Amino acid sequence: VEPVNAHQDVASDFAAYTALLEIAQRVGLSQMLDSGASFTLADASAVTRTGQVQTASLLSALVAAGLLDPDESSSTFIASVDLAERRYQAGYLAWTLDANRIYIDHCADFMRDAENAASTYRRDGHKVALTTQWIGTKGFYPDIKNEIIRSKPDRVVDLGAGAGALAIDLLVAQPALTALALDVSGGACDAASSAARVAGVDGRLDVVRRSIESLVEDPSPLQGADVIHAAFVLHDIVKYDDVFLGVLSACRKELGDGGRLVVADAVRYASDREERAFSALFTYLHANFMGVELPSEERWIDLFERAGFRDVECRRLRTPGTRMFLAHA
Ligand SMILES: C[S@@+](CC[C@H](N)C(=O)[O-])C[C@H]1O[C@@H](n2cnc3c(N)ncnc32)[C@H](O)[C@@H]1O
């Protein structure tokens, strides 16, 4: 009998990292961990607003798990070099099993009467935005960010911006840039505003609580954009042909010559070995619990072209089953 090699038993590691990072998130420690700066127990306790003993116990667990490194000579802690990758991996587990838990728990209700179940059982939008952000840190933000920076924009508009991570990242990297983050969720907009303050870029970020559908009637939030970006939000309106094309046409008109559209979104049932499992879950959940039939790669390209965009390019992103579409206005 082959001995079990504990180091290959990665599911147990992923489960542990996810739970520990979620606990750290809930007591407000994520930003401190992600900053890459060292901090003391007192700093951490001030953030968690729990007792020092309880905070010390959590920090010890993070150290024991290898997520945090202690510096005994200065009594400080700093995130381990692996933390960013662990957070990215934890994002998949947290998105799947935490943000979508209500769908899994009530799957039979959805299978019997999806419409009724969808109005009764709703996901927590903040959890969805946050866990998407964890996946995004390594799954799709880096490629999108590079692509946007390459086109040297003065103003970027991010549609369905969630907690604003990408826009804030761009503003930190590009001191002359201004941006607008639009989202229909009040929680997401509040999170984006407060994250922008913490990052010191709030003077260059407009946060607008609006639906993307409303841009057809009033495209003013798009004004002055050289790049319009939308990650994992256009699929929510793709089935409403007229609205979808109306939103894209408004984007193209406001971008004008030289402007670019950068979209990250999912395709239905990507079949490559590395993509198929997560893509299958993503496609199935969207179709059966959210009423969203994800388009194929070809269908996405066709939709962008029908709205008048040209030279539409499609690239694979690290997150399984996702693509970046680049188009010229
Ligand atoms: C999956 S999250 C993605 C967030 C962000 N783009 C990212 O990549 O981290 C989708 C976001 O789109 C927002 N959203 C969904 N439907 C929307 C709509 N019709 N108009 C504006 N925002 C919408 C949600 O509130 C949520 O914050």
Side-chain angles (χ1 to χ4, degrees), residues 170-281:
L170 285 166
L171 291 169
V172 169
Q174 304 284 295
L177 185 70
T178 67
L180 182 144
L182 178 146
D183 203 286
V184 76
S185 148
C189 289
D190 291 347
S193 299
S194 84
R197 265 193 306 280
V198 172
V201 297
D202 46 323
R204 291 186 285 129
L205 181 69
D206 299 316
V207 177
V208 176
R209 185 178 180 190
R210 285 262 302 264
S211 74
I212 46 176
E213 294 89 322
S214 73
L215 296 169
V216 178
E217 290 293 313
D218 173 13
S220 57
L222 303 172
Q223 261 165 23
D226 314 295
V227 169
I228 295 176
H229 166 256
F232 301 98
V233 65
L234 290 183
H235 64 235
D236 284 323
I237 58 163
V238 77
K239 70 177 166 191
Y240 308 110
D241 225 34
D242 289 351
V243 179
F244 185 79
L245 288 175
V247 170
L248 283 185
S249 302
C251 290
R252 191 183 48 76
K253 212 164 137 203
E254 293 296 328
L255 280 169
D257 286 347
R260 294 188 89 198
L261 179 73
V262 178
V263 171
D265 221 309
V267 296
R268 65 179 282 108
Y269 289 117
S271 58
D272 273 18
R273 192 176 167 280
E274 318 85 72
E275 294 197 290
R276 63 187 292 182
F278 190 70
S279 176
L281 172 80

Side-chain angles (χ1 to χ4, degrees), residues 105 127 141 147 253:
D105 283 347
K127 266 188 194 170
Y141 295 152
E147 203 49 52
K253 212 164 137 203

Side-chain angles (χ1 to χ4, degrees), residues 81-146:
V81 289
D82 293 339
L83 186 122
E85 187 69 18
R86 301 298 180 222
R87 185 181 296 296
Y88 161 70
Q89 291 158 337
Y92 289 104
L93 275 166
W95 182 85
T96 302
L97 296 174
D98 189 26
N100 289 295
R101 168 55 52 195
I102 197 158
Y103 292 158
I104 297 171
D105 283 347
H106 298 283
C107 60
D109 298 291
F110 278 89
M111 289 168 88
R112 289 185 193 114
D113 181 353
E115 210 173 304
N116 197 25
S119 58
T120 311
Y121 305 113
R122 293 178 187 277
R123 296 184 301 175
D124 174 335
H126 185 240
K127 266 188 194 170
V128 175
L130 187 78
T131 54
T132 304
Q133 188 175 310
W134 286 16
I135 296 173
T137 52
K138 288 198 175 267
F140 47 89
Y141 295 152
D143 285 348
I144 296 171
K145 187 177 155 190
N146 287 343

